[in-house]
């Protein structure tokens, strides 16, 4: 079972708009939601699911809005939450920003979307590209007699329209990997994982069939390609876009699909492998009497010399009562952000194998309080193009279409920082 009704509430819990799908839960039940939420918040036991009698409220918060689904039965909670987040995504596609004002300004479109997104409590068409074909921003301009549902909605391939034509047929593939890393003060890695996504930008005519080949370890073992020459990657927690034929992937690890038009995320994966920190940070803090403190930070690029990290930002925590900052950097620039109690050292371009220094001097009226505060970790942001830390590779992209046209696939690799932190002593 799924949702009985969906409500969008303002920050005070007043309903802005609602849609009753099944009629088995009284619409007045929503009046109990906000008092229940505030009570749980005060008690410190706030949960994403709240219950009042036999009615359950499944809710999420987005900017200054609450999206709440009510249900009486034992609903599939993960389905309802996925639907609520997808609803937010669709509204953001339509209104750019989803907040109270955009709901008030677009009541008609919101009602139309709520009608199409769900039917009798079950999610229906949730692809914003398809919805935009017949629910337009200009309001309902359909003339009587001409109104019809786009065939895409009733197609087996509900995510792609027929009759798409391009002069130049191309596919752009982005392999983006985020490195999550936590290093303790002794320099040993406590947590390291790679979270990857493969995003496609598709400009292809007709109804093409695409096959993507990766250096997937399971596939290499199935086909007998595994060996010392072929570097392979063991993918975990693989999630696919709805267009991928899962039965085919389960059988022979082939990623086969008819793609949506334009931008979309084809798949995401995770690798819990031991990652060597790409940018290594060492910091030394010297305190002089009770008046000043000096922080020295050394950053080293521990990736291939031919690669370059762009837009590097190193956030170094400083005591909350520090003042009168002075900086000296071997490269880039440093600035003090007092509201966050950090120094941000920015380096535009950081080649692999290089080592850089930054010194910061601060006046310190009360150095004793620093011990009580503790020290937050140093955070690092970066992006390394043309490089993947896991070694994943796109081996091929086959594009098959009945008209037999030639199409060009373009591949780009990017490694970036995710939650990348190094603790200091």
């Amino acid at each position: 079972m799924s949702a009985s009704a969906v409500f969008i509430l303002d920050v005070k819990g007043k309903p802005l708009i609602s849609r009753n799908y099944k009629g088995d839960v009284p619409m007045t039940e929503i009046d109990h939601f906000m008092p229940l939420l505030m009570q749980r918040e005060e008690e410190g036991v706030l949960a994403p699911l709240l219950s009042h009698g036999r009615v359950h409220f499944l809710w999420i918060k987005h900017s200054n809005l609450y999206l709440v689904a009510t249900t009486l039965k034992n609903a599939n909670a993960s389905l309802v939450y996925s639907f609520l987040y997808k609803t937010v995504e669709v509204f953001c596609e339509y209104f750019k920003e989803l907040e109270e004002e955009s709901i008030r300004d677009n009541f008609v479109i919101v009602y139309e979307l709520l009608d199409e997104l769900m039917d009798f409590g079950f999610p229906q068409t949730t692809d914003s590209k398809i919805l935009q074909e017949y629910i337009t921003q200009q309001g309902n301009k359909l003339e009587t007699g001409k109104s019809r549902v786009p065939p895409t909605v009733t197609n087996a391939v509900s995510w792609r329209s027929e009759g798409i034509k391009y002069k130049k047929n191309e596919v752009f593939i982005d392999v983006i990997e985020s490195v999550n890393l936590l290093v303790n003060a002794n320099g040993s890695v406590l947590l390291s994982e790679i979270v990857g996504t493969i995003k496609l930008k598709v400009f292809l005519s007709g109804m093409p069939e695409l096959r993507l080949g990766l250096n997937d370890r399971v596939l290499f073992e199935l086909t007998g390609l595994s060996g010392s020459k072929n570097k392979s990657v063991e993918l975990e927690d693989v999630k696919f876009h709805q267009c991928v034929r899962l039965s085919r992937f389960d059988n022979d690890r082939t990623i086969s699909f008819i793609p949506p038009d334009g931008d979309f995320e084809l798949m995401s994966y995770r690798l819990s492998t031991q990652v060597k920190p790409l940018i290594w940070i060492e910091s030394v803090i010297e305190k002089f009497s009770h008046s000043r403190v000096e922080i020295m930070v050394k950053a080293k690029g521990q990736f291939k010399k031919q690669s370059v990290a762009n837009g590097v930002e190193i956030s170094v925590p400083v005591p909350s009562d520090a003042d009168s900052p002075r900086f000296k950097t071997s490269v880039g620039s440093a600035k003090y952000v007092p509201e966050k109690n950090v120094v941000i050292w920015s380096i535009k371009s950081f080649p692999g194998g290089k080592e850089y220094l930054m010194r910061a001097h601060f006046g310190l009226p009360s150095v004793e309080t620093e011990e009580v505060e503790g020290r937050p970790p140093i955070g690092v942001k970066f992006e390394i193009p043309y490089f993947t830390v896991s070694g994943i590779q796109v081996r091929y992209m086959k594009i098959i279409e009945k008209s037999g046209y030639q199409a060009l696939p373009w591949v780009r690799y990017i490694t970036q920082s995710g939650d990348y932190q190094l603790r200091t002593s």
Side-chain angles (χ1 to χ4, degrees):
M1 299 302 290
S2 194
S4 297
V6 171
F7 296 83
I8 299 174
L9 314 178
D10 66 13
V11 76
K12 291 177 182 172
K14 186 184 167 193
L16 297 172
I17 200 164
S18 60
R19 178 73 172 83
N20 192 354
Y21 292 106
K22 293 168 84 173
D24 59 346
V25 175
M27 296 300 272
T28 51
E29 281 289 335
I30 197 66
D31 299 340
H32 301 293
F33 170 73
M34 207 61 192
L36 202 59
L37 183 88
M38 290 170 81
Q39 183 194 330
R40 291 290 171 88
E41 210 162 10
E42 281 170 23
E43 292 169 0
V45 287
L46 193 59
L49 190 147
L50 303 172
S51 298
H52 178 262
R54 292 176 60 223
V55 178
H56 308 291
F57 301 105
L58 294 90
W59 65 278
I60 63 168
K61 191 179 183 187
H62 181 85
S63 63
N64 59 352
L65 296 172
Y66 289 96
L67 279 83
V68 187
T70 58
T71 180
L72 210 57
K73 302 263 178 24
N74 184 14
N76 181 342
S78 57
L79 174 72
V80 176
Y81 287 118
S82 295
F83 172 76
L84 291 176
Y85 282 112
K86 190 70 190 174
T87 302
V88 168
E89 204 179 294
V90 169
F91 287 166
C92 288
E93 287 274 333
Y94 267 83
F95 315 131
K96 302 291 177 268
E97 293 287 328
L98 176 58
E99 48 195 35
E100 188 180 330
E101 199 178 328
S102 52
I103 295 291
R104 289 189 187 280
D105 291 348
N106 297 282
F107 268 138
V108 175
I109 294 173
V110 173
Y111 265 122
E112 285 184 43
L113 287 170
L114 288 173
D115 260 354
E116 295 300 331
L117 286 163
M118 188 171 259
D119 187 27
F120 197 66
F122 290 94
Q124 295 297 305
T125 309
T126 56
D127 193 311
S128 56
K129 286 195 182 88
I130 304 304
L131 288 164
Q132 279 165 355
E133 284 186 25
Y134 60 106
I135 297 177
T136 59
Q137 233 96 354
Q138 290 78 35
N140 194 354
K141 289 187 178 175
L142 293 173
E143 293 171 30
T144 51
K146 284 189 179 178
S147 62
R148 62 183 183 86
V149 175
T152 325
V153 177
T154 53
N155 268 1
V157 182
S158 64
W159 53 87
R160 186 178 178 90
S161 305
E162 287 179 9
I164 296 170
K165 281 191 174 69
Y166 286 103
K167 279 184 181 175
K168 195 176 182 184
N169 291 292
E170 293 178 305
V171 180
F172 296 90
I173 307 160
D174 277 351
V175 181
I176 302 164
E177 292 193 335
S178 297
V179 180
N180 295 335
L181 187 83
L182 180 62
V183 178
N184 73 5
N186 308 328
S188 50
V189 176
L190 299 178
L191 177 137
S192 98
E193 67 171 4
I194 301 159
V195 179
T197 55
I198 297 180
K199 294 182 178 177
L200 267 65
K201 198 177 241 184
V202 177
F203 303 110
L204 295 173
S205 308
M207 276 284 182
E209 165 101 18
L210 272 61
R211 281 182 206 150
L212 177 70
L214 304 171
N215 56 338
D216 173 12
R217 186 166 298 166
V218 181
L219 173 69
F220 276 24
E221 284 165 4
L222 282 171
T223 53
L225 282 170
S226 54
S228 56
K229 283 183 183 177
N230 300 307
K231 189 180 187 307
S232 60
V233 174
E234 193 168 344
L235 304 174
E236 300 167 37
D237 293 348
V238 182
K239 276 188 271 185
F240 288 112
H241 185 274
Q242 62 173 356
C243 65
V244 176
R245 294 187 178 89
L246 294 179
S247 55
R248 181 87 191 266
F249 181 77
D250 288 340
N251 277 342
D252 57 11
R253 304 289 282 193
T254 303
I255 302 168
S256 165
F257 57 100
I258 294 170
D261 192 40
D263 297 340
F264 74 102
E265 187 179 296
L266 175 72
M267 63 181 281
S268 65
Y269 58 88
R270 188 176 63 83
L271 291 156
S272 52
T273 54
Q274 201 68 18
V275 181
K276 185 184 177 186
L278 297 171
I279 294 178
W280 182 255
I281 307 289
E282 287 175 24
S283 70
V284 178
I285 297 170
E286 284 186 67
K287 296 165 193 163
F288 298 93
S289 67
H290 285 218
S291 57
R292 64 192 177 94
V293 66
E294 186 178 303
I295 301 169
M296 190 192 80
V297 178
K298 184 165 78 173
K300 187 182 179 185
Q302 299 194 132
F303 46 93
K304 291 175 186 171
K305 284 184 180 174
Q306 58 265 41
S307 295
V308 176
N310 297 329
V312 177
E313 277 190 8
I314 300 163
S315 302
V316 184
V318 296
S320 56
D321 51 0
D323 57 24
S324 52
R326 285 183 295 124
F327 305 112
K328 194 177 178 184
T329 60
S330 60
V331 71
S333 63
K335 67 170 181 181
Y336 177 42
V337 185
E339 60 270 21
K340 291 183 180 173
N341 298 324
V342 292
V343 170
I344 294 179
W345 179 17
S346 303
I347 303 166
K348 260 187 183 174
S349 174
F350 196 136
K354 292 283 183 188
E355 205 170 281
Y356 297 122
L357 279 175
M358 187 268 287
R359 286 178 186 272
H361 297 259
F362 286 94
L364 208 59
S366 54
V367 78
E368 293 90 347
T369 58
E370 206 267 332
E371 309 302 330
V372 184
E373 280 179 22
R375 278 177 58 76
I378 292 172
V380 186
K381 286 182 184 173
F382 59 85
E383 191 173 276
I384 308 172
Y386 320 115
F387 171 78
T388 58
V389 71
S390 70
I392 194 168
Q393 286 178 338
V394 174
R395 289 169 56 239
Y396 62 82
M397 167 67 91
K398 288 180 183 168
I399 300 159
I400 306 149
E401 215 278 330
K402 59 186 176 190
S403 63
Y405 60 69
Q406 292 295 306
L408 293 168
W410 303 90
V411 186
R412 180 172 64 166
Y413 299 98
I414 300 167
T415 292
Q416 60 191 24
S417 57
D419 188 7
Y420 194 103
Q421 297 183 339
L422 299 98
R423 289 178 182 167
T424 55
S425 52

